[in-house]
Amino acid sequence: AAVSRPRIVGRLVRSLVARAAGASTYAPLPPPQKVKVAVCQLNVTADKTQNLQTAKKAIQDAAAQGAKLVVLPEMWNCPYSNDSFPTYAEDIEGANSLSVDMLSAVAAETGVTLIAGSIPERCGDRLYNTCCVFNSRGELLAKHRKVHLFDIHIPGKITFKESLTLSSGPGPTVVDTEAGRLGIGICYDIRFPELAQLYAARGCQVLIFPGAFNMTTGPVHWELLARARAVDNQIFVITCSPARNPSSSYQAWGHSTVVGPFAEILATTDHGPTTIYADMDYSQLEERRSNMPLVLQKRHDLYALLDKTV
Ligand SMILES: NC(=O)CCC(=O)C(=O)O
Protein backbone atom coordinates (compact mmCIF):
# COMPACT_ATOMS: atom_id res chain seq x y z
CA ALA A 1 0.00 0.00 0.00
CA ALA A 2 1.20 3.49 -0.76
CA VAL A 3 2.53 5.42 2.21
CA SER A 4 2.21 9.15 1.76
CA ARG A 5 5.51 10.98 1.69
CA PRO A 6 6.10 13.01 4.85
CA ARG A 7 6.39 16.75 4.53
CA ILE A 8 9.97 16.55 3.53
CA VAL A 9 10.93 20.21 3.42
CA GLY A 10 9.79 20.93 6.95
CA ARG A 11 11.33 17.78 8.31
CA LEU A 12 14.62 18.37 6.57
CA VAL A 13 14.81 21.96 7.79
CA ARG A 14 14.03 20.88 11.37
CA SER A 15 16.63 18.16 11.16
CA LEU A 16 19.25 20.56 9.79
CA VAL A 17 18.49 23.09 12.50
CA ALA A 18 18.76 20.41 15.17
CA ARG A 19 22.04 19.22 13.77
CA ALA A 20 23.43 22.73 13.51
CA ALA A 21 22.44 23.41 17.12
CA GLY A 22 24.24 20.30 18.31
CA ALA A 23 27.12 20.62 15.93
CA SER A 24 29.59 22.15 18.34
CA THR A 25 29.05 19.60 21.08
CA TYR A 26 28.82 16.19 19.40
CA ALA A 27 27.68 14.54 22.59
CA PRO A 28 28.19 10.79 22.55
CA LEU A 29 25.09 8.93 21.44
CA PRO A 30 23.47 5.97 23.08
CA PRO A 31 23.73 3.96 19.87
CA PRO A 32 22.70 0.40 19.24
CA GLN A 33 25.71 -1.77 20.03
CA LYS A 34 25.29 -4.00 17.01
CA VAL A 35 23.82 -3.28 13.60
CA LYS A 36 23.22 -5.63 10.71
CA VAL A 37 23.86 -3.80 7.46
CA ALA A 38 22.82 -4.81 3.96
CA VAL A 39 24.75 -3.37 1.03
CA CYS A 40 22.75 -3.67 -2.19
CA GLN A 41 24.85 -3.88 -5.34
CA LEU A 42 22.03 -3.17 -7.76
CA ASN A 43 21.81 -3.77 -11.48
CA VAL A 44 21.16 -0.33 -12.98
CA THR A 45 19.64 0.03 -16.44
CA ALA A 46 18.34 2.82 -18.66
CA ASP A 47 14.78 1.95 -17.55
CA LYS A 48 14.01 4.10 -14.52
CA THR A 49 10.84 2.21 -13.60
CA GLN A 50 12.79 -1.02 -13.57
CA ASN A 51 15.55 0.56 -11.47
CA LEU A 52 12.99 1.66 -8.89
CA GLN A 53 11.49 -1.82 -8.76
CA THR A 54 14.95 -3.40 -8.41
CA ALA A 55 15.84 -1.07 -5.54
CA LYS A 56 12.51 -1.58 -3.78
CA LYS A 57 12.79 -5.35 -3.91
CA ALA A 58 16.39 -5.29 -2.71
CA ILE A 59 15.42 -3.19 0.32
CA GLN A 60 12.46 -5.45 1.11
CA ASP A 61 14.64 -8.57 0.80
CA ALA A 62 17.34 -7.04 2.98
CA ALA A 63 14.81 -6.17 5.68
CA ALA A 64 13.43 -9.71 5.50
CA GLN A 65 16.97 -10.95 6.19
CA GLY A 66 17.06 -8.85 9.37
CA ALA A 67 19.07 -5.85 8.15
CA LYS A 68 18.43 -2.65 10.10
CA LEU A 69 20.63 -0.46 7.92
CA VAL A 70 20.36 -0.70 4.13
CA VAL A 71 22.69 1.00 1.66
CA LEU A 72 22.14 1.61 -2.06
CA PRO A 73 24.73 2.57 -4.69
CA GLU A 74 25.63 5.85 -6.35
CA MET A 75 23.23 6.83 -9.17
CA TRP A 76 21.01 3.77 -8.80
CA ASN A 77 18.02 5.25 -10.68
CA CYS A 78 19.88 6.12 -13.89
CA PRO A 79 22.90 5.22 -16.00
CA TYR A 80 26.07 6.90 -14.74
CA SER A 81 26.55 9.43 -17.53
CA ASN A 82 26.37 13.18 -18.04
CA ASP A 83 23.73 12.57 -20.71
CA SER A 84 21.48 10.82 -18.21
CA PHE A 85 21.79 13.04 -15.14
CA PRO A 86 19.56 15.90 -16.41
CA THR A 87 16.98 13.49 -17.84
CA TYR A 88 16.61 11.35 -14.72
CA ALA A 89 16.97 14.19 -12.20
CA GLU A 90 14.24 14.74 -9.61
CA ASP A 91 13.33 17.60 -7.34
CA ILE A 92 13.86 15.86 -4.02
CA GLU A 93 11.96 18.48 -2.07
CA GLY A 94 9.21 18.61 -4.69
CA ALA A 95 5.84 16.93 -4.63
CA ASN A 96 6.47 14.38 -7.36
CA SER A 97 9.80 12.73 -6.81
CA LEU A 98 9.20 9.15 -7.89
CA SER A 99 12.42 7.90 -6.32
CA VAL A 100 11.95 9.70 -3.02
CA ASP A 101 8.32 8.59 -2.78
CA MET A 102 9.34 4.97 -3.28
CA LEU A 103 12.28 5.20 -0.85
CA SER A 104 10.25 6.88 1.85
CA ALA A 105 7.44 4.35 1.52
CA VAL A 106 9.69 1.29 1.54
CA ALA A 107 11.74 2.58 4.51
CA ALA A 108 8.48 3.03 6.46
CA GLU A 109 7.10 -0.32 5.33
CA THR A 110 10.25 -2.26 6.26
CA GLY A 111 11.38 -0.18 9.26
CA VAL A 112 14.99 0.13 8.11
CA THR A 113 17.35 3.08 8.19
CA LEU A 114 17.96 3.69 4.50
CA ILE A 115 21.08 5.27 3.01
CA ALA A 116 19.60 5.68 -0.41
CA GLY A 117 22.73 5.72 -2.56
CA SER A 118 22.42 8.72 -4.81
CA ILE A 119 20.23 10.12 -7.56
CA PRO A 120 20.59 13.20 -9.72
CA GLU A 121 18.82 16.01 -7.86
CA ARG A 122 17.39 19.05 -9.60
CA CYS A 123 17.25 22.21 -7.52
CA GLY A 124 16.42 25.36 -9.48
CA ASP A 125 18.79 25.43 -12.43
CA ARG A 126 21.37 23.21 -10.74
CA LEU A 127 21.89 19.48 -10.56
CA TYR A 128 23.53 17.63 -7.70
CA ASN A 129 24.60 14.05 -7.04
CA THR A 130 22.58 13.53 -3.87
CA CYS A 131 22.25 10.87 -1.21
CA CYS A 132 19.02 10.83 0.85
CA VAL A 133 18.90 9.29 4.32
CA PHE A 134 15.55 7.99 5.64
CA ASN A 135 14.65 6.78 9.09
CA SER A 136 12.47 3.77 9.85
CA ARG A 137 9.34 5.92 9.60
CA GLY A 138 10.23 6.98 6.08
CA GLU A 139 11.20 10.51 7.09
CA LEU A 140 13.99 12.21 5.23
CA LEU A 141 16.64 12.77 7.91
CA ALA A 142 19.32 14.34 5.76
CA LYS A 143 20.68 14.63 2.29
CA HIS A 144 24.30 14.74 1.21
CA ARG A 145 25.22 16.44 -2.02
CA LYS A 146 28.49 15.07 -3.37
CA VAL A 147 31.16 17.46 -2.22
CA HIS A 148 34.04 16.50 -4.53
CA LEU A 149 33.02 16.14 -8.16
CA PHE A 150 34.57 13.34 -10.22
CA ASP A 151 36.61 15.17 -12.83
CA ILE A 152 39.48 13.02 -14.05
CA HIS A 153 41.47 12.49 -17.23
CA ILE A 154 43.69 9.42 -17.49
CA PRO A 155 44.69 9.41 -21.18
CA GLY A 156 43.72 6.26 -23.05
CA LYS A 157 41.84 4.94 -20.01
CA ILE A 158 39.11 7.15 -18.64
CA THR A 159 37.94 10.71 -18.91
CA PHE A 160 34.93 11.84 -16.93
CA LYS A 161 33.83 15.31 -15.93
CA GLU A 162 30.87 15.42 -13.57
CA SER A 163 31.22 19.19 -13.41
CA LEU A 164 29.87 19.39 -16.98
CA THR A 165 26.41 18.78 -15.53
CA LEU A 166 26.63 18.69 -11.74
CA SER A 167 27.37 21.23 -9.03
CA SER A 168 29.24 20.32 -5.86
CA GLY A 169 27.50 20.16 -2.52
CA PRO A 170 27.96 22.59 0.34
CA GLY A 171 29.63 20.39 2.92
CA PRO A 172 29.87 17.31 5.10
CA THR A 173 26.83 15.37 6.29
CA VAL A 174 26.72 13.79 9.73
CA VAL A 175 23.43 12.14 10.53
CA ASP A 176 22.21 10.57 13.77
CA THR A 177 20.09 7.52 13.03
CA GLU A 178 18.67 4.48 14.77
CA ALA A 179 21.68 2.66 13.31
CA GLY A 180 24.22 5.02 14.84
CA ARG A 181 25.97 8.22 13.87
CA LEU A 182 26.85 8.11 10.20
CA GLY A 183 29.13 10.20 7.99
CA ILE A 184 28.08 10.28 4.34
CA GLY A 185 30.27 10.71 1.26
CA ILE A 186 29.66 9.87 -2.37
CA CYS A 187 32.27 7.99 -4.38
CA TYR A 188 35.06 10.49 -5.21
CA ASP A 189 34.52 11.98 -1.73
CA ILE A 190 36.34 8.92 -0.38
CA ARG A 191 39.61 10.16 -1.88
CA PHE A 192 39.81 13.10 0.51
CA PRO A 193 41.05 11.92 3.90
CA GLU A 194 40.20 15.16 5.68
CA LEU A 195 36.48 14.57 5.13
CA ALA A 196 36.71 11.17 6.81
CA GLN A 197 38.83 12.62 9.62
CA LEU A 198 36.27 15.32 10.17
CA TYR A 199 33.51 12.70 10.42
CA ALA A 200 35.53 10.67 12.89
CA ALA A 201 36.22 13.80 14.95
CA ARG A 202 32.46 14.38 15.08
CA GLY A 203 31.86 10.97 16.58
CA CYS A 204 30.66 9.06 13.54
CA GLN A 205 30.69 5.31 13.96
CA VAL A 206 30.40 4.46 10.28
CA LEU A 207 31.45 6.17 7.06
CA ILE A 208 29.19 5.32 4.14
CA PHE A 209 30.22 5.87 0.54
CA PRO A 210 27.79 4.96 -2.22
CA GLY A 211 30.14 4.92 -5.20
CA ALA A 212 30.74 3.79 -8.76
CA PHE A 213 34.46 3.38 -9.35
CA ASN A 214 35.57 2.37 -12.83
CA MET A 215 37.65 -0.35 -14.44
CA THR A 216 40.87 1.69 -14.33
CA THR A 217 40.91 3.04 -10.79
CA GLY A 218 38.63 0.44 -9.22
CA PRO A 219 41.04 -2.50 -9.17
CA VAL A 220 43.84 -0.40 -7.65
CA HIS A 221 42.10 2.13 -5.41
CA TRP A 222 38.57 1.11 -4.35
CA GLU A 223 39.37 -1.33 -1.56
CA LEU A 224 42.60 0.47 -0.70
CA LEU A 225 40.74 3.73 -0.07
CA ALA A 226 38.00 2.10 2.01
CA ARG A 227 40.54 0.30 4.16
CA ALA A 228 42.71 3.39 4.41
CA ARG A 229 39.82 5.53 5.65
CA ALA A 230 38.99 2.73 8.13
CA VAL A 231 42.49 2.23 9.48
CA ASP A 232 43.31 5.94 9.73
CA ASN A 233 40.16 6.69 11.68
CA GLN A 234 39.60 3.32 13.39
CA ILE A 235 36.07 3.33 12.09
CA PHE A 236 33.64 1.21 10.04
CA VAL A 237 33.54 2.01 6.32
CA ILE A 238 30.92 0.88 3.82
CA THR A 239 31.18 1.22 0.05
CA CYS A 240 28.24 0.39 -2.23
CA SER A 241 28.58 0.19 -6.02
CA PRO A 242 26.15 -0.56 -8.80
CA ALA A 243 26.69 -3.98 -10.37
CA ARG A 244 28.66 -3.99 -13.62
CA ASN A 245 26.29 -3.75 -16.55
CA PRO A 246 27.94 -4.85 -19.81
CA SER A 247 25.55 -2.73 -21.88
CA SER A 248 26.34 0.46 -19.98
CA SER A 249 28.70 3.14 -21.30
CA TYR A 250 30.31 3.34 -17.83
CA GLN A 251 31.55 0.05 -16.46
CA ALA A 252 31.31 0.10 -12.67
CA TRP A 253 33.93 -1.81 -10.71
CA GLY A 254 31.41 -3.30 -8.28
CA HIS A 255 33.09 -4.90 -5.24
CA SER A 256 30.84 -3.33 -2.61
CA THR A 257 32.53 -3.83 0.73
CA VAL A 258 32.15 -3.46 4.50
CA VAL A 259 35.36 -2.75 6.41
CA GLY A 260 35.85 -2.92 10.18
CA PRO A 261 37.81 -0.49 12.37
CA PHE A 262 41.00 -2.62 12.14
CA ALA A 263 40.73 -2.35 8.33
CA GLU A 264 39.50 -5.93 8.17
CA ILE A 265 37.08 -6.88 5.38
CA LEU A 266 33.77 -7.91 6.97
CA ALA A 267 31.95 -8.55 3.69
CA THR A 268 32.70 -8.07 0.02
CA THR A 269 31.76 -9.32 -3.43
CA ASP A 270 32.81 -9.13 -7.08
CA HIS A 271 30.87 -7.28 -9.79
CA GLY A 272 27.51 -9.06 -10.13
CA PRO A 273 24.17 -7.96 -8.73
CA THR A 274 23.91 -9.09 -5.11
CA THR A 275 23.39 -7.96 -1.54
CA ILE A 276 26.10 -8.46 1.04
CA TYR A 277 25.53 -8.44 4.80
CA ALA A 278 27.71 -7.66 7.80
CA ASP A 279 27.21 -7.37 11.54
CA MET A 280 28.86 -4.24 12.84
CA ASP A 281 29.66 -4.32 16.55
CA TYR A 282 30.27 -0.75 17.67
CA SER A 283 32.04 -1.89 20.84
CA GLN A 284 34.93 -2.69 18.50
CA LEU A 285 35.44 1.03 18.01
CA GLU A 286 36.37 1.50 21.67
CA GLU A 287 38.38 -1.70 21.70
CA ARG A 288 40.51 -0.80 18.68
CA ARG A 289 40.94 2.77 19.87
CA SER A 290 42.00 1.75 23.37
CA ASN A 291 44.36 -0.93 22.04
CA MET A 292 45.99 1.64 19.80
CA PRO A 293 45.10 5.17 21.00
CA LEU A 294 46.01 7.05 17.84
CA VAL A 295 43.93 10.11 18.71
CA LEU A 296 45.81 10.56 21.99
CA GLN A 297 49.15 9.85 20.36
CA LYS A 298 48.76 12.39 17.59
CA ARG A 299 51.23 15.25 17.77
CA HIS A 300 48.62 17.95 18.10
CA ASP A 301 51.47 20.41 18.62
CA LEU A 302 52.69 19.69 15.07
CA TYR A 303 49.52 19.52 12.97
CA ALA A 304 45.76 19.84 13.19
CA LEU A 305 42.56 19.12 11.30
CA LEU A 306 40.86 22.40 10.52
CA ASP A 307 37.07 21.97 10.42
CA LYS A 308 35.79 25.06 8.61
CA THR A 309 32.17 24.01 8.70
CA VAL A 310 31.27 24.66 12.33
N1 LIG B 1 31.59 8.33 -9.47
C1 LIG B 1 32.79 8.62 -9.04
O1 LIG B 1 32.99 9.54 -8.28
C2 LIG B 1 33.89 7.73 -9.54
C3 LIG B 1 35.15 7.89 -8.76
C4 LIG B 1 36.26 7.06 -9.30
O2 LIG B 1 36.05 6.19 -10.14
C5 LIG B 1 37.60 7.31 -8.81
O3 LIG B 1 38.54 6.70 -9.31
O4 LIG B 1 37.77 8.13 -7.90
Side-chain angles (χ1 to χ4, degrees):
V3 177
S4 65
R5 176 145 59 102
R7 299 187 65 80
I8 283 172
V9 183
R11 286 175 199 281
L12 184 58
V13 169
R14 280 197 296 282
S15 135
L16 291 172
V17 169
R19 281 194 292 135
S24 57
T25 54
Y26 304 116
L29 291 172
Q33 203 64 355
K34 293 186 181 174
V35 172
K36 179 169 181 171
V37 61
V39 183
C40 304
Q41 185 164 290
L42 304 179
N43 193 36
V44 178
T45 69
D47 181 340
K48 185 169 176 179
T49 306
Q50 189 179 322
N51 295 336
L52 264 71
Q53 283 166 1
T54 303
K56 182 177 177 182
K57 179 155 189 332
I59 299 162
Q60 288 169 331
D61 290 349
Q65 294 297 316
K68 295 290 175 222
L69 175 66
V70 178
V71 184
L72 303 185
E74 183 181 28
M75 294 297 185
W76 59 268
N77 80 355
C78 75
Y80 185 79
S81 82
N82 277 310
D83 289 343
S84 300
F85 300 150
T87 316
Y88 291 70
E90 298 181 26
D91 176 355
I92 286 173
E93 258 81 58
N96 297 307
S97 172
L98 287 179
S99 300
V100 175
D101 285 346
M102 182 280 285
L103 296 165
S104 171
V106 77
E109 170 200 311
T110 57
V112 299
T113 297
L114 180 57
I115 312 303
S118 76
I119 61 170
E121 176 194 8
R122 185 179 299 284
C123 182
D125 57 2
R126 293 188 171 214
L127 297 178
Y128 298 94
N129 185 339
T130 302
C131 174
C132 296
V133 178
F134 298 87
N135 67 15
S136 62
R137 292 181 298 283
E139 296 160 337
L140 182 63
L141 283 183
K143 60 179 190 179
H144 177 77
R145 290 172 168 165
K146 189 174 189 172
V147 173
H148 305 93
L149 294 182
F150 176 49
D151 283 4
I152 69 165
H153 177 54
I154 305 178
K157 296 289 186 187
I158 177 167
T159 300
F160 203 99
K161 206 160 183 228
E162 277 189 326
S163 63
L164 287 176
T165 55
L166 303 176
S167 299
S168 55
T173 304
V174 174
V175 54
D176 288 333
T177 73
E178 294 145 277
R181 180 170 287 179
L182 313 176
I184 312 293
I186 299 177
C187 205
Y188 205 56
D189 284 338
I190 200 174
R191 288 191 178 273
F192 300 88
E194 292 83 355
L195 181 65
Q197 271 180 268
L198 187 150
Y199 285 152
R202 291 189 184 183
C204 291
Q205 290 146 314
V206 192
L207 309 183
I208 304 186
F209 296 96
F213 267 43
N214 59 82
M215 300 298 287
T216 300
T217 60
V220 197
H221 294 161
W222 172 256
E223 184 182 305
L224 175 75
L225 286 164
R227 297 183 71 192
R229 298 296 84 90
V231 77
D232 280 352
N233 297 291
Q234 300 176 299
I235 202 165
F236 289 92
V237 174
I238 298 170
T239 57
C240 183
S241 171
R244 195 173 309 153
N245 179 345
S247 61
S248 163
S249 65
Y250 184 93
Q251 296 289 293
W253 171 238
H255 293 77
S256 301
T257 298
V258 182
V259 185
F262 202 55
E264 71 277 31
I265 304 285
L266 299 179
T268 192
T269 185
D270 56 16
H271 58 263
T274 189
T275 295
I276 59 169
Y277 296 90
D279 291 308
M280 298 187 294
D281 180 349
Y282 293 154
S283 70
Q284 287 178 2
L285 295 171
E286 290 98 77
E287 187 187 331
R288 294 303 184 191
R289 290 169 183 181
S290 65
N291 291 169
M292 202 189 283
L294 298 180
V295 167
L296 301 178
Q297 293 163 340
K298 274 185 202 280
R299 288 290 304 271
H300 298 283
D301 56 324
L302 300 181
Y303 44 75
L305 175 70
L306 182 58
D307 183 345
K308 296 186 172 184
T309 67
V310 288

